[in-house]
Amino acid sequence: MTRTPPTDNPVRRVVSLLIDTGPPFDGRWRFRFTTVLALVGPGSVPFAVLLFAVQNQILRTNYGVPGISLLIALLTGISVLAARFHPLAAWLMWLASAAWAAVAAVQQTGDPWPLTPGGLFALLVVQFAVARDARTLWALTTWVVNLLVFYGISQEMPGVLAQQNLLLASLLSLAALLIGVMVRASRRARRRVEEEARLTAEERTRRRLLEERTRIARELHDVVAHHMSVITVQAATAPYRLPDLPEDVRAEFHSIGAQARQSLAELRRLLTVLRNEDDAAEREPLPGMERLAELVESVRRSGTPVDLRTDDVSGLPEAVALTGYRIVQEALSNVVRHAPGAAVAVRVAVTAAAVEITVVNSVPPEGVRAVPEGAGLGLAGMRERVTLLSGELSTVATDDGGFRVHAVLPLGDDEEDR
């Protein structure tokens, strides 16, 4: 069962600014366990405010830094906010605030030093953000610099308390670094999978489109090959059917026949590329509009009521007859897939200038399950067929929720052959 993506709303937009749920101002995020973790993660406004208040109070009361405690605490809180967008800059701000607090603080027996509790919590957030968003080498570099800086500060007042404090800070920050590296690797792997899936879908769509174009080319080849064969036969037999022709006219007919045979040979070589000889279905005679009744009957048997009304379609040019049949076939296939059970009306009108095809379906009955929307390659192939004949095609939804396909296939100069 597929989940419906959450809709965008102002409350989610505000939350996306307060904590790192994804891109800022994006209100379409979904609640996950990581959403809870983001409450104390990089960019968390509630956690930054809480850390600012705690750091300021502890520096004033426990470490004897009443004058500048507000500035140090403010810099500590800002480093947590900046870690969401600029981790390395946030690390520099945290390093400055933590070193400032360590130098200015009066060491009390039993109080953590040189890192205060507020500075330690901010370190974990910043170290995680650097490992998650920056390169691993940068993350390791920041971790080593932290140890060196605070080891140097602790030498001013050596003692067991400072050693324990640095050992705890180094282990916890190393754990935050490793978690950040794993999250970064997981995100990169997920992006690669998504990119591969996108490329696969694009390749699948492109391949299906090329297959449809190849099928159209094969069918048009058969139509053109038929006409070229007729031209070849007529040009070859003209001197025998018309014995009184002048020699120059006989030579002209001979040249026409030779060119037609050469063109037909080229078409046959093209056919070996376009057609798979192992596919028996490709060797069947091409359908025309005179077979629309058979097509409609097969659709009716699937449970879709179809009303067919057509003018006399005998004698249409082969390309027009084939294209018209394929348009009706694809339109009915779309109805069966996406609106099963819907009533369909098929109208074919033949005029002196063009053939007009209209396929309209209504809304399917309630409770009928339709196939999800496809890639639209059927409509693309339909449009390409019509374009090859310099025709027009429109596919629009109707006011009552149905769908309408309307095609105009000009007869052009082929009308004389009818």
Side-chain angles (χ1 to χ4, degrees):
M1 181 178 180
T2 58
R3 294 183 177 180
T4 304
T7 57
D8 193 358
N9 62 70
V11 176
R12 289 180 179 269
R13 285 176 176 266
V14 173
V15 174
S16 71
L17 294 175
L18 296 179
I19 61 176
D20 187 8
T21 61
F25 298 101
D26 187 355
R28 295 171 296 180
W29 55 271
R30 188 189 301 277
F31 181 83
R32 299 182 179 88
F33 177 68
T34 53
T35 307
V36 179
L37 297 179
L39 290 171
V40 293
S44 173
V45 174
F47 185 69
V49 172
L50 177 63
L51 201 60
F52 162 75
V54 171
Q55 180 80 325
N56 180 53
Q57 182 64 26
I58 289 180
L59 288 175
R60 291 172 59 89
T61 58
N62 291 32
Y63 292 88
V65 191
I68 58 175
S69 62
L70 189 65
L71 295 178
I72 297 175
L74 183 62
L75 195 59
T76 303
I78 292 177
S79 68
V80 172
L81 294 178
R84 179 180 181 182
F85 308 100
H86 302 285
L88 291 177
W91 169 71
L92 290 175
M93 287 188 287
W94 172 86
L95 187 63
S97 65
W100 193 2
V103 172
V106 177
Q107 186 182 18
Q108 302 288 343
T109 303
D111 288 333
W113 191 89
L115 287 178
T116 65
L120 179 59
F121 281 112
L123 169 63
L124 299 181
V125 173
V126 172
Q127 189 70 76
F128 167 78
V130 172
R132 182 193 65 181
D133 298 338
R135 294 185 176 182
T136 305
L137 180 61
W138 280 107
L140 289 173
T141 301
T142 57
W143 184 75
V144 172
V145 169
N146 293 339
L147 292 183
L148 294 178
V149 169
F150 286 95
Y151 178 78
I153 293 176
S154 66
Q155 295 306 302
E156 297 296 328
M157 299 181 68
V160 177
L161 186 64
Q163 297 175 3
Q164 294 176 345
N165 182 265
L166 288 177
L167 178 62
L168 177 63
S170 63
L171 293 178
L172 291 178
S173 60
L174 180 61
L177 184 150
L178 294 177
I179 294 174
V181 170
M182 289 188 292
V183 170
R184 182 169 183 262
S186 176
R187 287 184 174 182
R188 292 180 64 183
R190 191 184 309 116
R191 284 195 296 267
R192 284 197 297 267
V193 171
E194 292 175 352
E195 180 67 14
E196 288 295 332
R198 183 185 65 82
L199 293 176
T200 301
E202 291 180 355
E203 178 63 24
R204 188 184 302 114
T205 300
R206 188 182 68 86
R207 186 175 66 250
R208 290 179 58 188
L209 185 58
L210 290 177
E211 290 174 354
E212 178 66 16
R213 287 179 176 178
T214 302
R215 188 163 71 97
I216 295 173
R218 288 197 301 261
E219 295 173 349
L220 289 179
H221 163 271
D222 292 343
V223 174
V224 175
H226 168 71
H227 290 298
M228 292 300 298
S229 299
V230 173
I231 294 174
T232 303
V233 172
Q234 288 179 338
T237 59
Y240 302 99
R241 291 183 288 103
L242 305 172
D244 297 331
L245 290 177
E247 286 300 323
D248 56 343
V249 177
R250 289 174 179 270
E252 188 71 21
F253 273 116
H254 179 74
S255 175
I256 293 173
Q259 293 293 331
R261 283 191 296 271
Q262 184 179 356
S263 299
L264 189 58
E266 293 292 339
L267 284 173
R268 284 170 179 164
R269 280 193 287 270
L270 178 62
L271 179 62
T272 61
V273 177
L274 296 177
R275 172 163 290 166
N276 180 8
E277 294 298 338
D278 296 331
D279 192 352
E282 297 295 343
R283 297 193 294 269
E284 294 180 355
L286 297 177
M289 298 189 69
E290 67 279 356
R291 295 177 57 182
L292 286 180
E294 300 176 17
L295 174 64
V296 168
E297 184 59 30
S298 65
V299 175
R300 287 171 181 165
R301 286 195 295 267
S302 68
T304 300
V306 182
D307 179 29
L308 173 63
R309 297 183 184 179
T310 176
D311 293 344
D312 182 15
V313 293
S314 60
L316 289 176
E318 291 184 56
V320 174
L322 173 62
T323 301
Y325 179 88
R326 293 303 189 195
I327 290 174
V328 176
Q329 183 183 47
E330 182 61 34
L332 293 178
S333 297
N334 287 337
V335 174
V336 173
R337 284 195 302 266
H338 306 304
V344 186
V346 179
R347 302 290 182 265
V348 178
V350 181
T351 64
V355 176
E356 293 191 22
I357 303 171
T358 306
V359 182
V360 182
N361 68 273
S362 61
V363 181
E366 294 184 3
V368 176
R369 180 175 298 180
V371 176
E373 291 293 332
L377 295 180
L379 294 178
M382 193 186 303
R383 195 172 302 280
E384 288 188 353
R385 290 178 182 274
V386 174
T387 302
L388 287 174
L389 298 179
S390 301
E392 298 177 0
L393 177 70
S394 64
T395 56
V396 295
T398 59
D399 295 337
D400 59 354
F403 202 77
R404 179 177 182 269
V405 176
H406 180 71
V408 179
L409 308 178
L411 296 176
D413 296 337
D414 292 333
E415 180 195 357
E416 299 176 359
D417 299 332
R418 295 181 59 209

